[in-house]
Amino acid sequence: MAQLPKIIQGGMGVGVSNWRLAQAVSRLGQLGVVSGTALDTLFVRRLADGDQGGHMRRGLEAFPFPAMARRIWQEYFVSGGKAAGVAYPPVPMHQQKNTRTLIELCMVSNFVEVFLAKEGHKNPVGINFLEKVQMPHLASIYGAMLAGVGYVLMGAGIPLHIPGVLDALAAHNQAEYKLAVTGAAVDRDTLMMLNPADYAEGPLPLMTRPRFLAIVSSNTLATTMLRRANGRVDGFVYESPTAGGHNAPPRGKLQLNEAGEPVYGERDQVNIAGLLELGVPFWLAGGYGNAEKLREALDMGAAGIQVGTAFAFSRESGLRPDLKNRLLEQAAVGAGKVYTDPLASPTGFPFKVAQLDGSYSDAGVAAARTRICDLGYLREPYVTPDGRTGYRCAAEPVENYLSKGGKIEETVGRKCLCNALLANIGHAQTRKDERVEPALVTVGDDLNTVAQFLEPGRSSYGAADVVRSLLSLVAEPDPAEETTAEAELPLAAAVSSS
Ligand SMILES: Cc1cc2nc3c(=O)[nH]c(=O)nc-3n(C[C@H](O)[C@H](O)[C@H](O)COP(=O)(O)O)c2cc1C
């Protein structure tokens, strides 16, 4: 059996865990994970910025369907990059049935991100998706699989039907995924479908079925996944409420502390003995970004840890350098503040926000932003009074949301995460009035502990510094040995091309 990674570098969307970060981590024999969230829009914006370094082009040249790759390049590449102050081109918002162009863009952009993360080494790379962002799933997963992704990790929902999707797509068979549509009767057709044969331009490559890790917040959810998933679940990442990004809501009635943050209690703690009984590998996440915590996790029987915040501040991550530096400066003196915002995310899940003047966490900046919904990844599909499928987001202009049957109380405090997360990585949209979309940085409660990775006199650190530091109290085989082991992965059941 191949060695499992002790460290999973957690998926961080949008584009914080990009191909550079994942490649740096996987090279060292741990698991680098790219974020698959909104990669289609991110890809278009990279091309509109002139494809600095030529990396997107290199990825496109490796894509197995060259005519498709050419179409996307011709549509979106801007030689020398768009002028400052000019808006990025729009990407259509996802729906139950997407246009061919959008499906192709998803496939290609996910392929390129994984392809680049895998360049120059033979170790596995993973991709992370949010279950709640369902509409791009099938094309995105297929694109990542065409690039040979080794692991698919998914949380923020209950991904019961992803294992079956992986099985179907590994054989280049048609895959189906049921879209959650609010108000839909049981017999309503909410299926999304992808038939790879409709996109292939020639013989299809041999593919292996990636391992599937479900990101869960409770023992119950892990048990449900094992009982009810439509295929193999290879392991779990158990994420506690201190983790960066979205958090599961507390169990029971929502209670807020004086600052307005959700209060978590005993019932929100994982039962490790229970996880061990399930008999599948698991990794612990949320405040595990130091050497002692890795040793503690291994001693308890975990396969290892998943770490996000520490990697988000490494040089390789996609986070904008100015934001990274300001927060690192705060962390270095223990002044970083993180707020668990129960309202910000249109998903309704609590979302961790680093408090940073001039960013969207600043009440003045939030109040000054004009609501607009033009990316739509978090839109909720619903049945309209005349029986069609409509799409709404609690962060869109309030009158639009209300006209779609949304409730006023659901709009309060909501923030446009789609635009903010792209702003975090240097691809903010510019509006007609030349306003630029504000950033909203998410980090874990342990923000201040990242200062441990800064060597004396240094103001930055790399992903390798994090990996080295985390492993400093445990024995770890040479990454080169890991590579050999991976080549013998028993799970990699190759299928013949169709
Ligand atoms: C900037 C940032 C973005 C994140 N985005 C995602 C995401 O898109 N999907 C996901 O499953 N988890 C996401 N997470 C959670 C991480 O994958 C990881 O589980 C978590 O950061 C671990 O806890 P830690 O922050 O204490 O290290 C994000 C975390 C951070 C810090």
Side-chain angles (χ1 to χ4, degrees):
M1 176 70 174
Q3 182 91 23
L4 291 169
K6 289 193 174 60
I7 304 168
I8 300 178
Q9 162 259 303
M12 295 179 281
V14 172
V16 173
S17 65
N18 57 14
W19 61 270
R20 275 180 214 279
L21 174 58
Q23 191 198 85
V25 174
S26 282
R27 265 178 195 278
L28 297 168
Q30 301 304 322
L31 185 65
V33 177
V34 295
S35 164
T37 303
L39 270 181
D40 45 357
T41 296
L42 176 53
F43 192 74
V44 164
R45 293 189 180 187
R46 286 172 176 161
L47 293 187
D49 284 332
D51 185 23
Q52 289 167 26
H55 305 296
M56 299 306 109
R57 182 175 189 130
R58 198 166 68 253
L60 282 171
E61 282 167 355
F63 190 66
F65 314 149
M68 191 189 292
R70 216 166 21 247
R71 280 196 288 280
I72 288 169
W73 178 260
Q74 284 167 355
E75 175 78 20
Y76 292 109
F77 175 65
V78 178
S79 179
K82 70 173 187 66
V86 170
Y88 284 111
V91 171
M93 290 195 263
H94 285 268
Q95 302 193 347
Q96 181 181 347
K97 290 194 173 69
N98 282 324
T99 60
R100 185 177 180 102
T101 318
L102 187 54
I103 291 169
E104 291 187 356
L105 186 56
C106 269
M107 234 180 244
V108 166
S109 54
N110 280 267
F111 172 90
V112 171
E113 199 73 4
V114 173
F115 169 83
L116 293 173
K118 287 185 65 186
E119 261 187 332
H121 63 93
K122 292 206 170 96
N123 293 332
V125 159
I127 193 161
N128 172 285
F129 297 103
L130 303 175
E131 208 280 331
K132 284 236 173 198
V133 183
Q134 296 183 325
M135 293 177 273
H137 274 350
L138 295 175
S140 302
I141 291 172
Y142 189 59
M145 286 175 66
L146 283 172
V149 76
Y151 287 75
V152 170
L153 300 94
M154 196 180 285
I158 312 177
L160 286 173
H161 296 127
I162 292 295
V165 166
L166 301 181
D167 292 334
L169 293 179
H172 300 290
N173 287 336
Q174 174 163 299
E176 297 178 346
Y177 200 79
K178 215 168 177 343
L179 181 66
V181 180
T182 305
V186 271
D187 59 347
R188 189 181 176 88
D189 171 19
T190 62
L191 269 194
M192 302 184 291
M193 277 180 268
L194 181 83
N195 185 0
D198 295 341
Y199 297 86
E201 292 172 19
L204 289 163
L206 286 180
M207 292 214 299
T208 55
R209 193 260 200 200
R211 293 181 183 205
F212 177 66
L213 306 186
I215 304 170
V216 298
S217 59
S218 69
N219 293 68
T220 315
L221 209 51
T223 310
T224 304
M225 282 300 304
L226 287 180
R227 286 212 185 116
R228 292 184 34 216
N230 66 347
R232 200 181 69 231
V233 178
D234 298 291
F236 294 103
V237 174
Y238 171 77
E239 211 180 54
S240 82
T242 62
H246 282 97
N247 302 135
R251 239 132 292 167
K253 193 170 178 295
L254 179 67
Q255 288 187 333
L256 302 177
N257 65 16
E258 280 169 16
E261 299 171 297
V263 178
Y264 291 88
E266 286 279 300
R267 289 172 66 198
D268 300 300
Q269 291 197 358
V270 70
N271 171 350
I272 299 281
L275 280 184
L276 284 167
E277 273 169 26
L278 297 177
V280 291
F282 63 92
W283 288 259
L284 299 173
Y288 278 84
N290 66 64
E292 289 77 21
K293 291 296 269 186
L294 172 57
R295 195 167 58 182
E296 185 188 305
L298 294 173
D299 287 348
M300 287 191 290
I305 56 177
Q306 171 168 287
V307 175
T309 301
F311 287 110
F313 291 96
S314 67
R315 281 187 292 274
E316 292 88 346
S317 96
L319 194 58
R320 242 167 56 196
D322 62 312
L323 298 170
K324 215 182 264 181
N325 293 341
R326 283 178 62 199
L327 287 165
L328 266 177
E329 279 167 19
Q330 288 184 6
V333 294
K337 287 202 176 61
V338 182
Y339 179 68
T340 307
D341 193 329
L343 300 176
S345 173
T347 62
F349 282 19
F351 187 68
K352 290 253 192 288
V353 177
Q355 302 301 291
L356 204 56
D357 290 346
S359 84
Y360 205 170
S361 69
D362 191 321
V365 173
R369 180 182 180 271
T370 307
R371 282 187 175 223
I372 180 169
C373 181
D374 59 346
L375 295 172
Y377 292 96
L378 295 174
R379 291 193 309 170
E380 168 200 9
Y382 70 101
V383 179
T384 65
D386 58 0
R388 289 174 301 111
T389 301
Y391 302 89
R392 64 190 175 202
C393 175
E396 73 179 307
V398 175
E399 57 284 11
N400 294 0
Y401 187 68
L402 299 182
S403 73
K404 296 173 184 176
K407 297 198 177 71
I408 184 85
E409 57 272 24
E410 285 165 7
T411 66
V412 178
R414 296 289 193 238
K415 296 196 159 108
C416 177
L417 295 194
C418 295
N419 273 291
L421 297 188
L422 278 149
N424 289 351
I425 54 167
H427 292 290
Q429 184 59 293
T430 305
R431 299 296 173 198
K432 281 205 185 77
D433 57 6
E434 294 191 1
R435 278 195 202 202
V436 176
E437 284 288 351
L440 184 72
V441 184
T442 179
V443 292
D445 284 346
D446 274 0
L447 165 62
N448 290 329
T449 69
V450 301
Q452 69 180 297
F453 305 110
L454 287 170
E455 296 277 337
R458 291 275 171 86
S459 56
S460 73
Y461 61 82
D465 296 323
V466 178
V467 171
R468 198 179 319 112
S469 168
L470 295 180
L471 290 175
S472 60
L473 298 180
V474 299
E476 179 69 349
D478 189 292
E481 288 171 32
E482 197 102 354
T483 306
T484 323
E486 182 58 28
E488 293 156 7
L489 251 186
L491 293 174
V495 296
S496 60
S497 61
S498 51

